């Protein structure tokens, strides 16, 4: 069974051969004209067997020297196939073989239809010469601008030579115009082939330029990603709570962002935002917000609602076309309280004493529109040892699995509650990720995705 599969995928299988031989997925391959010529010769070897269908014509089948001519055509193609495995003199091999085959085909036609005594038989003789036009047009696969023209030139010369000797002492006076139809066809096909080559080469050049631009942009995005990574907090130990974080972005950089704000007297602020959209623009706005949060007046960092209002006003003033959702939590370890405000962000999920996670419903507006004041309500909770907070961006619940289903906040709560028994925070995060992977399967996240788990000490 394995042996038959190997044969099916080998050179004996024409589809496998074509897929292997003409694998030009890289733009650079379209510029390697030596490789293209090699592929051209190998393709020509397989296609030349179509010539033998000429024996279906009774006159050609009865030609006294047809067997010899067809044998020479086969020998020439075998020789050119062997020579295709080296990289020198390929143009000479191609044109030498092509000229010889065109000559032999015309010789077969001339011998098979040697006698004619009226215009009807002359036209029949002439029509078969149109078949040579396929060899003229076939040259366009070499992507050489002069390939079709050169083939058409020596096809016309050979054809005119044959009809000259045919009519030199023939029964018909002069040279009827119908005899020149194949030459006109050769010329037209050479113009069509050359035009196609010019268009393809231009497209290859444009694709090459776009490929270079793409590689440059990818390099720049990788640098931007490294720069953006420095904006995220390092894996640090924060007195008062433990945390685990997960981030994913469909692009090199994204608009989801979180930060820890170290405050006086051991207090800590946690800021998480989701910039509308994703990609470069969102990443730049996220970086701008990072700077704003870091440089804003200290008093605002102690009041979640004021902090969000400050961001709302600045975004409205600086980025009228961009907006964001955000949540800011202020951990006051002196009074043992948690204060937070939610500006249009998904509800924070909370679990206390190992109980089920539940959403803390709050009211608040998206940042950057200046919709209302106060922009959000302030929520306060007492700090309890072991309680957990789960913050996330909407990409987590709005991405779709392979069946098109969204996880939704209800599905997320179910996952959290099924794994709430894990006392180790890292194990809890890993268990949640396993279930998320099972739900989304092979589907790629279409939006930036981030979640942050905080456990109070």
């Amino acid at each position: 069974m394995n042996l038959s599969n190997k044969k099916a995928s080998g050179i004996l299988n024409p589809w496998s051969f074509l897929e292997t031989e003409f694998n030009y997925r890289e733009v650079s391959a379209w510029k390697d004209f030596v490789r293209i010529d090699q592929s051209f010769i190998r393709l020509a070897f397989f296609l030349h067997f179509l010539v033998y269908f000429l024996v279906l014509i009774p006159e050609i089948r009865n030609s006294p020297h047809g067997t010899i001519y067809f044998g020479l055509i086969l020998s020439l193609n075998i020789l050119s196939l062997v020579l295709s495995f080296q990289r020198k003199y390929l143009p000479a091999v191609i044109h030498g073989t092509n000229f010889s085959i065109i000559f032999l085909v015309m010789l077969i036609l001339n011998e098979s239809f040697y006698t004619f005594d009226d215009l009807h038989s002359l036209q029949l003789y002439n029509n078969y010469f149109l078949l040579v036009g396929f060899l003229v047009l076939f040259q366009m696969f070499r992507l050489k601008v002069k390939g079709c023209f050169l083939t058409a030139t020596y096809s016309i010369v050979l054809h005119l030579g044959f009809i000259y000797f045919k009519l030199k002492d023939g029964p018909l006076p002069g040279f009827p115009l119908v005899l020149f139809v194949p030459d006109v066809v050769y010329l037209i096909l050479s113009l069509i082939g050359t035009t196609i080559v010019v268009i393809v080469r231009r497209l290859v050049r444009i694709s090459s330029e776009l490929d270079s631009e793409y590689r440059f942009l990818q390099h720049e995005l990788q640098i931007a990603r490294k720069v953006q990574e420095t904006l995220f907090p390092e894996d640090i130990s924060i007195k008062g709570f433990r945390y685990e974080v997960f981030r994913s972005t469909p692009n090199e950089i994204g608009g989801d962002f979180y930060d820890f704000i170290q405050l006086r007297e051991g207090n800590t602020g946690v800021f998480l935002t989701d910039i509308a959209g994703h990609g470069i623009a969102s990443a730049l706005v996220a970086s701008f917000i990072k700077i704003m949060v870091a440089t804003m007046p200290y008093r605002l960092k102690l009041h979640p609602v004021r902090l969000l209002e400050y961001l709302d006003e600045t975004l409205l003033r600086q980025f009228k076309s961009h907006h964001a959702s955000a949540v800011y939590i202020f951990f006051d370890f002196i009074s043992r309280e948690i204060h937070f405000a939610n500006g249009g962000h998904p509800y924070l999920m909370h679990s206390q004493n190992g109980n089920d996670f539940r959403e803390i419903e709050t009211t608040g507006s998206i940042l950057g529109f200046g919709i209302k004041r106060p922009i959000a309500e302030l929520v306060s909770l007492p700090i309890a040892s072991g309680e957990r907070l789960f913050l996330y961006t909407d990409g987590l619940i709005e991405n779709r699995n392979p069946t098109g289903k969204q996880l939704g906040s209800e599905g997320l709560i179910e996952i959290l509650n099924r794994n709430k028994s894990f006392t180790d925070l890292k194990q809890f995060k890993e268990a949640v990720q396993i279930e998320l992977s099972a739900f989304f399967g092979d589907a790629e996240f279409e939006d930036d995705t981030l979640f942050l788990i905080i456990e109070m000490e």
Side-chain angles (χ1 to χ4, degrees), residues 68-354:
I68 297 175
Y69 298 150
F70 282 122
L72 289 174
I73 290 174
L74 178 61
S75 300
L76 286 169
N77 276 281
I78 292 175
L79 178 61
S80 63
L81 178 64
V82 173
L83 292 175
S84 72
F85 291 94
Q86 53 86 42
R87 296 178 64 87
K88 292 183 178 180
Y89 314 118
L90 290 177
V93 171
I94 290 172
H95 283 292
T97 303
N98 211 34
F99 178 87
S100 301
I101 290 175
I102 290 175
F103 175 75
L104 289 170
V105 169
M106 288 185 176
L107 196 60
I108 293 171
L109 295 173
N110 187 70
E111 184 180 88
S112 302
F113 299 94
Y114 186 77
T115 58
F116 52 84
D117 52 11
D118 56 26
L119 286 176
H120 177 73
S121 59
L122 174 62
Q123 187 173 2
L124 179 64
Y125 160 81
N126 202 47
N127 287 343
Y128 285 113
F129 278 87
L130 296 176
L131 296 174
V132 176
F134 290 105
L135 298 177
V136 174
L137 192 61
F138 184 63
Q139 281 288 320
M140 71 181 181
F141 289 103
R142 293 183 61 210
L143 297 185
K144 298 288 183 65
V145 176
K146 297 180 180 180
C148 292
F149 179 75
L150 289 175
T151 306
T153 299
Y154 52 70
S155 296
I156 292 172
V157 171
L158 287 172
H159 179 251
L160 292 176
F162 275 106
I163 63 173
Y164 172 77
F165 288 105
K166 176 74 83 173
L167 296 177
K168 186 177 181 182
D169 299 316
L172 297 177
F175 291 87
L177 292 178
V178 70
L179 285 175
F180 299 99
V181 170
D183 304 307
V184 175
V185 172
Y186 301 158
L187 184 59
I188 292 174
L189 290 178
S190 72
L191 292 175
I192 293 174
T194 302
T195 302
I196 293 174
V197 169
V198 170
I199 293 174
V200 171
R201 291 188 64 160
R202 185 170 298 175
L203 291 175
V204 169
R205 186 176 69 251
I206 294 172
S207 298
S208 178
E209 293 172 355
L210 291 175
D211 184 64
S212 298
E213 290 291 331
Y214 174 77
R215 294 178 186 277
F216 173 77
L217 289 175
Q218 285 296 107
H219 177 69
E220 293 296 303
L221 284 174
Q222 290 174 2
I223 295 176
R225 182 183 181 90
K226 292 179 181 178
V227 173
Q228 190 183 40
E229 289 292 332
T230 63
L231 299 178
F232 286 91
E234 298 178 357
D235 188 10
I236 57 176
S237 176
I238 299 177
K239 185 178 179 180
F241 63 78
R242 294 177 292 275
Y243 71 93
E244 291 288 338
V245 66
F246 169 84
R247 289 192 297 122
S248 174
T249 176
N251 303 305
E252 292 291 340
I253 54 180
D256 289 0
F257 179 76
Y258 76 98
D259 198 9
F260 298 126
I261 303 169
Q262 301 284 357
L263 302 171
R264 299 169 193 165
E265 300 170 336
N267 296 326
T268 302
V270 176
F271 177 76
L272 188 144
T273 185
D274 179 4
I275 310 301
H278 51 268
I280 297 175
S282 297
L284 290 174
V285 176
S287 301
F288 179 76
I289 291 180
K290 155 73 175 180
I291 297 172
M292 278 198 297
V293 172
T295 58
M296 69 172 51
Y298 180 81
R299 67 181 184 276
L300 299 180
K301 300 175 184 179
L302 306 178
H303 301 281
V305 175
R306 294 182 185 176
L307 181 142
L308 294 182
E309 288 180 342
Y310 178 85
L311 295 177
D312 179 47
E313 293 171 357
T314 307
L315 283 176
L316 180 62
R317 184 172 61 254
Q318 299 290 340
F319 301 98
K320 296 183 183 298
S321 60
H322 287 83
H323 56 276
S325 65
V327 58
Y328 179 69
I329 307 174
F330 171 54
F331 292 92
D332 190 340
F333 293 110
I334 297 176
S335 64
R336 301 292 296 175
E337 288 183 313
I338 300 173
H339 306 284
F340 74 91
N342 186 335
H345 203 74
Y347 294 145
L348 183 148
M349 295 186 179
H350 178 246
S351 172
Q352 193 170 23
N353 298 325

Side-chain angles (χ1 to χ4, degrees), residues 308 324-328 341-346 362-367 375-377:
L308 294 182
S325 65
V327 58
Y328 179 69
N342 186 335
H345 203 74
T362 53
T363 60
S365 300
I366 294 287
L367 309 184
I375 193 171
E377 66 173 308

